[in-house]
Amino acid sequence: MKTECTAEQLEFHGLGRRVVVGEFDGGKISSDTGGLLLREVEQRTHILKRLAACFMDYRDANQIEHSLESLIKQRVMGLTLGYEDLNDHDRLRQDPLLALLSDVADPTGQDRRRAQDKGCALAGKSTLNRLELTPLDGDASSRYKKIVADPTAMDALLVDLFVEAYDEPPEEIILDVDATDDPLHGHQEGRFFHGYYRSYCYLPLYIFCGEQLLCARLRTANQDQSAGTVDELERIIARIRLSWPRTRIIVRADSGFCRDDLMSWCEAHNVDYVLGLAKNNRLKAAIRSEMAEAEQHYEGTQQAARVFKDFRYRTLKSWSRERRVVAKAEHLAKGENPRFVVTSLSTEKWPARALYEALYCARGDMENRIKEQQLALFADRTSSHALASNQLRLYFSSFAYVLIQTLRRLGLNGTAMARAQCDTIRLKLFKIGAHIRFSVRRVRIAFSESYPYASLFEQILQRLQRIPLRC
């Protein structure tokens, strides 16, 4: 039978003698009921409630129906569930499950003032758009856009949440620093062409510690990859040391961040570093004998060969002092593959091979965190004209990541999904079909009987419920 669709009924290919038809008339059904796990996390951490406190709301309290906190929760929860576009919320505003996640008092939307809004408990795209587009100098005199973000407060909150994730101060932490491209397809403010990425883009800076996000800064692409890194590290490390004065701190990054100002700042503030160092003729000449040894070993075994060398080095002009460099003289089937790392760490604590293979190369895992942020949580959805508005979108994506990471840390640890990435968590734990029924005293959610991860879901919920609620 030919597949056809009408405005009232959807017709699909038949099954034997049976016709297969469908309509969007199932009632209060949600495909995202696993998001209730995120609500349990929020009730115990108040991540989004504290995010809402980073905004100043100049709206007339007598004229609003959507609180600032519910708007923030709606936007961030929507990102965690996979809804990147504000246009999605013109239908999602009718979703009682998202209203429940946003802590709207009446998730049915029957208490709305205007008749045309009945049944729509949440804000539509226009209201959320005003939230994102309010300029930083907005105030009560602004006509429409009156919710002003405080970027400094949001930066501080990211670091506070990181510190609070530890029960005891760690002996040592590694701060991974990296930048990536955020391609632009319009004429956004601060749009520049970047030669390395061969596109018009932003150049956001990220700082992680393991899976914890500490900084997400949107930058224009007409500057050095390391621009602003010292400023970000200075505020982050100052906050960390208020709580953990004895914790050893290592900064780790690739060669794009190997700059004298960064290394000098670390040396002056008792912060260690291990940074990639771009190769040059002087460096390659310093390991000529090691390269010959690696080549000889490769020719005898036909297996990749590595020889390491530890030496002191200083550039001709750009460095203010001599520093320790670790070289990897490697020979592969394709030929020579020398690599260099500069570090403040001692030879006694970190011998050359261990420093390169165990410490420096581990920084590659940070790229997975950036991919989660960019691809799964839409950090690259920077299509607003103003740079400040696009930075706010990056903040929303960042706190969506922090919320899922907190679920991963508190609920998934020790399970088969302890290392699952954000999109896998969304697919397996959030995307659950359920029928939702409301009564005066109860919200009953009837989950799909065929949900394959029911036992895991119950296990995670029990883990979360053992954590005390936050007042």
Side-chain angles (χ1 to χ4, degrees):
M1 183 176 74
K2 182 179 179 181
T3 300
E4 295 180 355
C5 299
T6 67
E8 296 79 20
Q9 182 171 277
L10 306 175
E11 297 185 2
F12 303 93
H13 189 79
L15 178 63
R17 295 182 178 181
R18 294 183 177 91
V19 296
V20 180
V21 298
E23 293 184 53
F24 290 102
D25 62 351
K28 301 301 181 183
I29 298 175
S30 175
S31 60
D32 301 302
T33 45
L36 288 167
L37 293 176
L38 292 175
R39 186 171 183 266
E40 295 296 317
V41 172
E42 170 63 19
Q43 296 299 316
R44 287 156 177 81
T45 60
H46 288 180
I47 292 172
L48 301 186
K49 183 176 183 178
R50 295 163 71 183
L51 174 59
C54 299
F55 291 75
M56 181 63 70
D57 191 352
Y58 292 104
R59 296 176 299 169
D60 184 347
N62 296 319
Q63 300 297 320
I64 63 175
E65 292 186 90
H66 305 293
S67 70
L68 171 58
E69 188 174 323
S70 71
L71 290 175
I72 297 297
K73 289 181 177 179
Q74 178 184 345
R75 183 68 171 110
V76 177
M77 287 289 189
L79 289 171
T80 64
L81 298 175
Y83 303 110
E84 61 181 293
D85 202 316
L86 290 183
N87 291 333
D88 298 331
H89 288 267
D90 267 6
R91 291 298 298 269
L92 290 171
R93 65 199 298 251
Q94 304 173 41
D95 185 351
L97 189 280
L98 185 56
L100 182 60
L101 300 185
S102 304
D103 285 321
V104 175
D106 177 22
T108 67
Q110 295 305 311
D111 62 351
R112 297 295 302 276
R113 297 173 185 173
R114 301 189 307 172
Q116 61 264 42
D117 291 331
K118 296 292 184 182
C120 299
L122 295 170
K125 62 181 180 182
S126 297
T127 302
L128 292 172
N129 192 50
R130 288 194 290 272
L131 167 67
E132 292 190 352
L133 295 183
T134 302
L136 297 179
D137 60 353
D139 55 30
S141 65
S142 302
R143 184 171 184 181
Y144 295 117
K145 304 176 180 65
K146 300 185 178 184
I147 303 176
V148 183
D150 182 350
T152 301
M154 285 184 275
D155 290 337
L157 179 56
L158 283 173
V159 185
D160 287 344
L161 292 171
F162 162 72
V163 173
E164 293 167 13
Y166 289 79
D167 295 327
E168 299 289 340
E171 291 186 5
E172 180 178 278
I173 60 173
I174 300 174
L175 301 182
D176 282 309
V177 184
D178 205 353
T180 189
D181 64 317
D182 176 4
L184 300 176
H185 306 288
H187 293 277
Q188 289 92 326
E189 181 182 15
R191 170 181 179 266
F192 287 96
F193 186 86
H194 195 287
Y196 178 80
Y197 295 111
R198 298 185 179 182
S199 68
Y200 287 93
C201 62
Y202 288 135
L203 194 67
L205 174 72
Y206 289 97
I207 300 177
F208 283 84
C209 181
E211 295 183 350
Q212 301 285 114
L213 175 63
L214 287 86
C215 173
R217 177 73 63 233
L218 198 63
R219 306 174 302 173
T220 59
N222 62 332
Q223 55 190 318
D224 185 73
Q225 183 174 342
S226 67
T229 302
V230 171
D231 293 337
E232 302 296 349
L233 288 174
E234 188 169 21
R235 67 169 181 84
I236 290 171
I237 291 174
R239 169 63 187 88
I240 291 173
R241 283 182 167 163
L242 284 176
S243 298
W244 306 335
R246 298 181 180 178
T247 297
R248 296 189 301 272
I249 301 175
I250 300 174
V251 173
R252 183 169 60 187
D254 65 19
S255 61
F257 294 85
C258 185
R259 303 291 183 267
D260 189 69
D261 64 336
L262 174 56
M263 292 185 286
S264 296
W265 183 90
C266 290
E267 291 158 353
H269 292 83
N270 195 29
V271 175
D272 284 310
Y273 57 83
V274 53
L275 307 172
L277 176 60
K279 57 190 173 184
N280 59 44
N281 291 334
R282 287 180 62 214
L283 287 169
K284 287 189 287 186
I287 61 168
R288 187 173 292 116
S289 62
E290 286 76 17
M291 286 302 312
E293 182 181 347
E295 182 179 6
Q296 183 179 14
H297 188 274
Y298 172 81
E299 290 176 349
T301 64
Q302 294 300 302
Q303 299 293 324
R306 289 181 173 183
V307 178
F308 288 87
K309 183 177 182 180
D310 211 317
F311 60 99
R312 306 293 294 181
Y313 174 78
R314 179 177 180 175
T315 61
L316 296 176
K317 295 181 179 180
S318 59
W319 287 8
S320 59
R321 54 174 292 183
E322 186 180 71
R323 296 181 170 100
R324 178 192 178 196
V325 169
V326 169
K328 179 194 70 170
E330 183 177 50
H331 197 92
L332 307 172
K334 64 180 181 181
E336 295 184 349
N337 183 40
R339 291 289 185 271
F340 301 89
V341 170
V342 59
T343 183
S344 61
L345 295 167
S346 67
T347 306
E348 294 74 22
K349 184 176 180 181
W350 284 101
R353 178 180 289 272
L355 184 133
Y356 186 86
E357 294 182 340
L359 181 59
Y360 177 71
C361 289
R363 64 164 295 279
D365 189 57
M366 182 191 181
E367 297 179 4
N368 293 325
R369 308 287 78 78
I370 294 178
K371 288 177 181 177
E372 285 188 282
Q373 181 104 13
Q374 297 278 102
L375 303 180
L377 294 168
F378 319 112
D380 59 352
R381 197 71 164 85
T382 48
S383 55
S384 290
H385 174 72
L387 181 62
S389 297
N390 288 322
Q391 173 67 68
L392 183 54
R393 287 187 170 189
L394 179 54
Y395 279 128
F396 286 152
S397 170
S398 298
F399 283 98
Y401 172 84
V402 170
L403 191 62
I404 294 181
Q405 164 55 21
T406 306
L407 170 64
R408 187 159 49 194
R409 175 171 57 86
L410 298 179
L412 305 188
N413 189 31
T415 73
M417 294 188 64
R419 299 287 295 170
Q421 295 198 358
C422 292
D423 50 355
T424 301
I425 293 172
R426 176 189 296 144
L427 176 64
K428 294 187 175 182
L429 294 181
F430 300 164
K431 293 298 180 180
I432 311 173
H435 196 284
I436 306 175
R437 299 184 182 90
F438 296 92
S439 65
V440 175
R441 298 184 179 180
R442 193 178 189 187
V443 178
R444 187 179 188 282
I445 301 171
F447 291 92
S448 169
E449 292 181 352
S450 59
Y451 175 55
Y453 307 105
S455 60
L456 174 61
F457 188 92
E458 292 174 2
Q459 179 186 0
I460 295 169
L461 179 59
Q462 290 169 3
R463 284 171 176 250
L464 296 174
Q465 290 177 337
R466 287 196 289 266
I467 302 171
L469 294 170
R470 184 166 180 146
C471 298

